């Protein structure tokens, strides 16, 4: 198959761009290479061409690499992103990965490093189109699925467990379908996850696969883990699980006193459980999330993940996993660590 | 040094994230801090302003707070309320090594 991926190289030094172009022109996939000497130019090119990969420097005048990448990661989540820099600093490496960049690479200095760099780029470019077998030791199936979903991969995982075979379809980081032993969708997914051992094989993505799973991967993983735990322990004396909305289900998590969701921006609808007058708290939650999100953007800290607010009467956690702000009240006797653990459950239940 | 190091260039330095701690009085004035001087004072003041405003607005929403923990991808802010002011701790986060 003749697929020439487009790569955009961004560096303010035209000589370096030429050198990178030479290095990448030797890739066996023969990608089409475009260059930009400024962040603004790169953004304009990304608007007009379907690039597969952006390779960016960090230190650049006006708009530095961190600024470009924070915009690009939000605007083009499918784009593979690579940082190629002479900056040798753990802080910047961490921040780059916190932004969700695929690869942080120090500018190659030797022929061997250049060769390794080429191989990494080739591998990253072909990730969705190549079939193969990845041997992963000491990783559970849950780990593998999370890795695939977090990296927004598209692939088909074929799992074999003795005579049993199952497949899980992942497109763009979302679970799309599963199939095993006559079962399909969530049922098949849960059956496959119940296997404790097996082999994984990654097959080429099937983007046309009909979708039968509509829950987020983390919600489904949590539900499956809970189902497995319940099956193992047989009895569950507390936490009755009503077949109710995600919000109601979230209030049943141990320690939760109330749950409030508040739309932000154009959607401002409110929904609350366990609160009598939620408007004032909702306004504070929205404002606080917006305030720290803006601070994070100004400082390039990576995404705002969560805010914990502890008080003498009540603890509150704020998160915004989607367009809606989620505000959860906790018993004041709980510690921040306990709250953090329980909040993961709330978010997944609410998302589901 | 390597092949590409010949092409060194003079680009402006990248903005580092602050780490350390500082205290603010109730007016938002920086009282004392251990954040390195290479971090612009405006950045530290910006953090302080957001923290104090959050404490104040929480109080107005009848949610008095004693501590605020803000998790970003690569920075954690922990702020403790101190009689209208605050002490703020800034810790860099490593997304790879974190649980």
């Amino acid at each position: 198959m003749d697929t020439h991926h487009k790569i955009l190289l961004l560096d303010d030094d035209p000589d370096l761009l030429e050198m990178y172009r030479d290095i990448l022109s030797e890739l066996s996939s023969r990608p089409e290479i475009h260059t930009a000497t400024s962040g603004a130019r790169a953004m304009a090119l990304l608007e007009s061409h379907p690039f597969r990969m952006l390779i960016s420097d960090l230190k650049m005048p006006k708009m530095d690499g961190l600024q470009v990448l924070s915009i690009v990661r939000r605007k083009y989540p499918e784009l593979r992103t690579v940082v190629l820099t002479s900056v040798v600093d753990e802080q910047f490496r961490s921040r780059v990965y916190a932004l969700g960049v695929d690869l942080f690479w120090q500018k190659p200095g030797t022929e061997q490093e250049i060769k390794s760099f080429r191989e990494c780029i080739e591998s990253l470019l072909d990730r969705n189109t190549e079939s193969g077998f990845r041997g992963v030791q000491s990783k559970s199936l849950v780990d593998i699925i999370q890795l695939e979903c977090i990296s927004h991969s598209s692939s088909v995982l074929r799992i074999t467990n003795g005579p049993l075979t199952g497949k899980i379809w992942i497109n763009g980081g979302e679970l799309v379908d599963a199939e095993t032993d006559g079962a399909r969708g969530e049922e098949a997914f849960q059956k496959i996850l119940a296997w404790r051992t097996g082999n994984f094989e990654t097959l080429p993505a099937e983007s046309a696969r009909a979708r039968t799973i509509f829950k987020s991967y983390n919600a489904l993983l949590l539900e499956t883990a809970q189902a497995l735990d319940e099956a193992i322990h047989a009895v569950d004396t507390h936490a009755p699980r009503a077949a109710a909305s995600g919000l109601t289900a979230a209030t049943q998590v141990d320690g939760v006193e109330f749950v409030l969701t508040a739309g932000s921006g154009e959607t401002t609808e409110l929904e609350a459980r366990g609160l009598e007058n939620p408007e004032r708290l909702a306004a504070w939650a929205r404002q606080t999330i917006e305030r720290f999100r803006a601070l994070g953007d100004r400082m390039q800290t990576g995404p705002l993940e969560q805010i914990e607010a502890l008080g003498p009467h009540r603890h509150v956690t704020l998160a915004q996993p989607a367009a809606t702000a989620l505000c959860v009240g906790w018993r004041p006797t709980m510690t921040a660590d306990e709250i953090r653990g329980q909040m993961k459950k709330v978010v997944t239940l609410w998302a589901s | 040094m390597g092949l590409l190091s010949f092409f060194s260039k003079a680009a402006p330095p990248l903005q580092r994230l602050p780490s350390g701690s500082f205290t603010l009085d109730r007016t938002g004035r920086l009282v004392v801090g251990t954040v390195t001087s290479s971090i612009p004072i405006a950045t530290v003041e910006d953090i302080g302003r957001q923290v104090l405003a959050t404490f104040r607005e929480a109080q107005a929403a009848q949610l008095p707070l004693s501590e605020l923990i803000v998790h970003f991808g690569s920075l954690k802010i922990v702020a403790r309320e101190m009689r209208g002011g605050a002490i703020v701790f800034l810790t860099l986060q490593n997304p790879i090594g974190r649980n």
Side-chain angles (χ1 to χ4, degrees):
Chain A
M1 196 167 59
D2 189 25
T3 52
H4 290 285
H5 294 305
K6 285 189 172 73
I7 297 180
L8 177 58
L9 289 168
L10 169 59
D11 197 303
D12 60 310
D13 186 331
D15 294 331
L16 273 177
L17 285 176
E18 275 314 303
M19 186 169 281
Y20 296 155
R21 187 194 282 275
D22 288 346
I23 290 172
L24 295 175
S25 66
E26 290 178 33
L27 290 174
S28 58
S29 61
R30 301 266 168 230
E32 203 179 304
I33 296 165
H34 297 243
T35 59
T37 52
S38 70
R41 175 70 185 144
M43 298 307 297
L45 283 169
L46 286 167
E47 285 281 342
S48 55
H49 294 78
F51 282 99
R52 172 75 165 167
M53 179 183 285
L54 168 69
I55 302 178
S56 174
D57 188 18
L58 283 184
K59 280 173 78 175
M60 290 181 290
K62 293 181 185 167
M63 198 178 192
D64 67 39
L66 288 169
Q67 288 171 308
V68 173
L69 288 163
S70 59
I71 296 168
V72 162
R73 288 296 304 143
R74 212 175 298 170
K75 211 168 171 189
Y76 309 100
E78 297 295 315
L79 184 71
R80 303 274 187 241
T81 43
V82 176
V83 163
L84 186 59
T85 180
S86 55
V87 176
V88 188
D89 188 315
E90 194 48 44
Q91 179 186 132
F92 292 113
R93 182 190 291 266
S94 295
R95 286 168 68 186
V96 162
Y97 281 125
L99 287 171
V101 169
D102 293 291
L103 195 64
F104 181 98
W105 200 277
Q106 241 175 281
K107 285 177 179 172
T110 65
E111 197 54 46
Q112 185 55 42
E113 284 172 11
I114 290 172
K115 186 168 172 278
S116 303
F117 174 67
R118 264 197 223 109
E119 285 169 1
C120 277
I121 296 297
E122 191 78 274
S123 157
L124 207 53
L125 278 174
D126 287 348
R127 233 184 121 181
N128 288 351
T129 54
E130 258 187 8
S131 64
F133 188 89
R134 271 189 278 173
V136 184
Q137 292 183 332
S138 309
K139 289 276 180 284
S140 69
L141 185 51
V142 172
D143 293 330
I144 300 291
I145 291 165
Q146 282 181 324
L147 281 171
E148 293 291 315
C149 292
I150 287 167
S151 60
H152 299 287
S153 292
S154 295
S155 61
V156 181
L157 289 178
R158 183 164 67 192
I159 303 105
T160 51
N161 175 29
L164 299 172
T165 302
K167 279 187 180 179
I168 296 172
W169 283 261
I170 299 170
N171 279 336
E174 289 187 324
L175 289 173
V176 170
D177 192 14
E179 194 176 75
T180 186
D181 199 22
R184 241 190 118 176
E186 287 182 28
E187 188 195 352
F189 183 80
Q190 291 185 347
K191 277 189 175 183
I192 295 170
L193 253 74
W195 301 345
R196 292 296 175 193
T197 56
N199 294 315
F200 309 100
E201 187 178 1
T202 307
L203 303 176
E206 294 175 19
S207 56
R209 181 77 183 179
R211 188 163 192 165
T212 61
I213 297 175
F214 295 92
K215 289 180 180 168
S216 67
Y217 73 91
N218 46 9
L220 205 51
L221 287 173
L222 184 77
E223 280 181 14
T224 306
Q226 282 175 337
L228 288 172
D229 279 346
E230 283 167 10
I232 290 165
H233 298 299
V235 286
D236 188 1
T237 50
H238 48 275
R241 295 178 61 201
S245 73
L247 205 60
T248 305
T251 58
Q252 293 171 5
V253 171
D254 190 32
V256 171
E257 288 193 337
F258 68 83
V259 182
L260 163 72
T261 61
S264 57
E266 289 170 8
T267 54
T268 53
E269 68 266 20
L270 263 178
E271 209 181 339
R273 299 282 186 281
L275 268 180
E276 285 191 1
N277 297 304
E279 289 80 12
R280 199 183 280 182
L281 190 62
W284 174 78
R286 277 196 208 104
Q287 201 166 12
T288 302
I289 288 175
E290 198 39 56
R291 162 175 294 129
F292 284 104
R293 175 162 292 172
L295 178 70
D297 284 345
R298 287 196 293 277
M299 294 175 62
Q300 297 153 21
T301 56
L304 173 64
E305 293 172 350
Q306 194 163 295
I307 299 172
E308 287 137 23
L310 311 180
H313 310 304
R314 182 173 269 175
H315 298 338
V316 169
T317 305
L318 303 177
Q320 193 162 4
T324 304
L326 178 64
C327 175
V328 182
W330 304 94
R331 276 199 310 260
T333 50
M334 291 176 76
T335 66
D337 283 343
E338 287 169 341
I339 290 171
R340 215 163 295 141
Q342 294 297 81
M343 184 65 184
K344 285 180 190 165
K345 290 183 191 171
V346 170
V347 170
T348 46
L349 282 169
W350 176 62
S352 68
Chain B
M1 290 298 283
L3 203 61
L4 299 184
S5 307
F6 290 114
F7 295 89
S8 61
K9 58 183 180 181
L14 291 165
Q15 191 192 346
R16 297 184 69 84
L17 287 178
S19 66
S21 62
F22 61 93
T23 55
L24 303 156
D25 67 14
R26 60 173 61 239
T27 66
R29 191 174 61 88
L30 267 175
V31 180
V32 65
T34 64
V35 178
T36 173
S37 58
S38 63
I39 302 293
I41 193 84
T43 302
V44 179
E45 285 174 341
D46 192 7
I47 297 169
R49 261 197 310 277
Q50 310 313 325
V51 163
L52 289 189
T54 302
F55 279 134
R56 262 198 307 272
E57 286 160 12
Q59 182 85 37
Q62 294 177 339
L63 182 75
L65 297 177
S66 53
E67 188 169 328
L68 189 68
I69 307 168
V70 185
H71 300 267
F72 292 102
S74 50
L75 181 74
K76 182 166 90 168
I77 301 173
V78 177
R80 295 206 179 100
E81 204 271 344
M82 290 199 317
R83 295 177 186 174
I87 180 165
V88 182
F89 302 90
L90 305 171
T91 319
L92 301 180
Q93 299 290 290
N94 183 342
I96 303 161
R98 204 168 21 169
N99 285 328

